[in-house]
Amino acid sequence: MSNTTIFAWLLSPIVFGTLVGLVIPGSEYIETVVLRQLSSVLGWTYLLAWGKSFYPQIVLNYQRKSIEGLSVDFQLLNFLGFACYSVYNCALFWDCAIRQEYFDIHGHPPAVHINDVVFALHGFVMTSIAFLQCFLYGSPRKSLSKMAVLFAATTCFVCGMLSLLLGLHVSWIGLDWMSLIYILSYIKVFITLIKYMPQIILNFRRQSTEGWSVIQVCLDAEGGIFSTAQQILDAIVTQHRSSITGNPAKMGLGLISLVFDAILMIQHWVLYPDNDADDNDTHPLLVVQS
């Protein structure tokens, strides 16, 4: 893929993110209008960059009517991660009791923007489609590892039981709804931390990145930069470090993405450039979304 093509892919989220961010009002807890809209621009730009990275793989699966080369474990974990992240963001943005509990702890409303909610819900829908394609175009039962299934089943069971006990007002578990919401966010961060490793290991074993889409990682890195920038700006403007510490999932996703994206880019352009003569970006072996 040429540098011009990569530049075009990366420029479009910035352009449209700026337009949307200037039209849609920013968070009300940022008093300065200019900084409020700047935060909005950063937020919608990261949403468009990260959101855009979902589509190439889904379209490719449909065109090929195959999931050959995809990690079904990755699709399962990604689906689970975005389910947890959607509940986390929706609760902090819409649930009055959770928002009040957050305010009592940190002294200000949750630093969760509407673009955070849209990103999480959009990611959940897209990962649901990608996981469904595994059933339509493959045999996930044969491809799924016992470890991935055990992790997903255990996570669902534990979170479901905790929700039931909290709903029944059982006090001996020593948790509240705010704690459960944070647990869901930590699950998403953990999944993001481990899901990059299969692609890095695969590239190392093959001494090549052929068949893997570098543009998706470029978009992932772009989203990580703008997401982290928005959170840092919010913390500076509001003079509350808890804008970061109170939303560790968002900061974790941004920083983890940047670290692993840098490793993947080094593999593609520095370590194994001579082994990618065709630079075939149309058959990615594993998709990376935050």
Side-chain angles (χ1 to χ4, degrees):
M1 182 173 289
S2 67
N3 292 334
T4 302
T5 303
I6 293 176
F7 178 76
W9 274 82
L10 297 179
L11 181 62
S12 57
I14 297 176
V15 173
F16 289 105
T18 300
L19 294 175
V20 175
L22 291 176
V23 172
I24 298 180
S27 297
E28 58 185 14
Y29 64 84
I30 299 179
E31 297 180 358
T32 307
V33 176
V34 174
L35 295 177
R36 182 189 307 162
Q37 293 310 126
L38 177 58
S39 176
S40 180
V41 167
L42 293 174
W44 287 104
T45 301
Y46 101 70
L47 163 65
L48 293 174
W50 270 346
K52 191 175 181 179
S53 66
F54 288 99
Y55 289 89
Q57 188 66 58
I58 292 177
V59 173
L60 182 62
N61 294 342
Y62 174 77
Q63 291 174 340
R64 297 168 64 216
K65 298 295 189 291
S66 171
I67 58 167
E68 183 179 357
L70 275 182
S71 169
V72 181
D73 285 352
F74 172 84
Q75 299 300 334
L76 171 61
L77 295 177
N78 213 23
F79 166 75
L80 177 62
F82 272 100
C84 293
Y85 198 52
S86 295
V87 175
Y88 167 77
N89 277 287
C90 289
L92 284 176
F93 190 79
W94 278 309
D95 191 282
C96 296
I98 294 294
R99 289 178 63 86
Q100 183 60 49
E101 194 171 341
Y102 183 99
F103 185 88
D104 294 339
I105 296 173
H106 299 287
H108 63 85
V112 173
H113 301 262
I114 183 61
N115 56 263
D116 297 322
V117 178
V118 173
F119 165 67
L121 293 175
H122 173 264
F124 175 69
V125 172
M126 300 309 291
T127 53
S128 299
I129 294 173
F131 189 49
L132 178 61
Q133 287 181 322
C134 294
F135 292 87
L136 294 176
Y137 307 137
S139 301
R141 291 183 179 180
K142 297 179 180 179
S143 304
L144 281 169
S145 69
K146 293 181 180 179
M147 186 65 69
V149 174
L150 179 62
F151 175 80
T154 301
T155 299
C156 293
F157 176 77
V158 171
C159 291
M161 288 301 299
L162 289 176
S163 299
L164 177 62
L165 293 174
L166 285 171
L168 295 174
H169 304 287
V170 177
S171 59
W172 56 263
I173 60 175
L175 291 176
D176 52 23
W177 285 108
M178 190 74 244
S179 300
L180 179 58
I181 292 301
Y182 273 123
I183 288 174
L184 294 176
S185 72
Y186 297 146
I187 292 171
K188 169 58 178 168
V189 172
F190 176 73
I191 290 174
T192 300
L193 183 63
I194 63 176
K195 73 181 183 180
Y196 290 87
M197 295 308 299
Q199 185 68 60
I200 293 174
I201 294 172
L202 182 62
N203 292 344
F204 173 75
R205 288 176 176 173
R206 299 172 65 241
Q207 297 293 291
S208 172
T209 61
E210 184 179 0
W212 162 79
S213 180
V214 67
I215 188 60
Q216 293 176 343
V217 168
C218 292
L219 286 167
D220 196 53
E222 182 181 38
I225 291 172
F226 281 94
S227 174
T228 304
Q230 183 190 34
Q231 201 168 10
I232 293 175
L233 175 65
D234 290 350
I236 294 174
V237 171
T238 60
Q239 297 182 342
H240 286 294
R241 287 183 300 175
S242 55
S243 294
I244 295 176
T245 59
N247 191 0
K250 183 176 180 179
M251 179 60 67
L253 295 181
L255 294 179
I256 292 171
S257 297
L258 290 175
V259 170
F260 283 101
D261 289 338
I263 295 173
L264 288 164
M265 289 178 188
I266 290 173
Q267 285 186 320
H268 184 76
W269 279 304
V270 179
L271 297 180
Y272 317 129
D274 297 332
N275 298 336
D276 306 300
D278 295 332
D279 198 17
N280 183 0
D281 287 314
T282 61
H283 295 83
L285 295 172
L286 184 63
V287 187
V288 184
Q289 294 119 3
S290 298

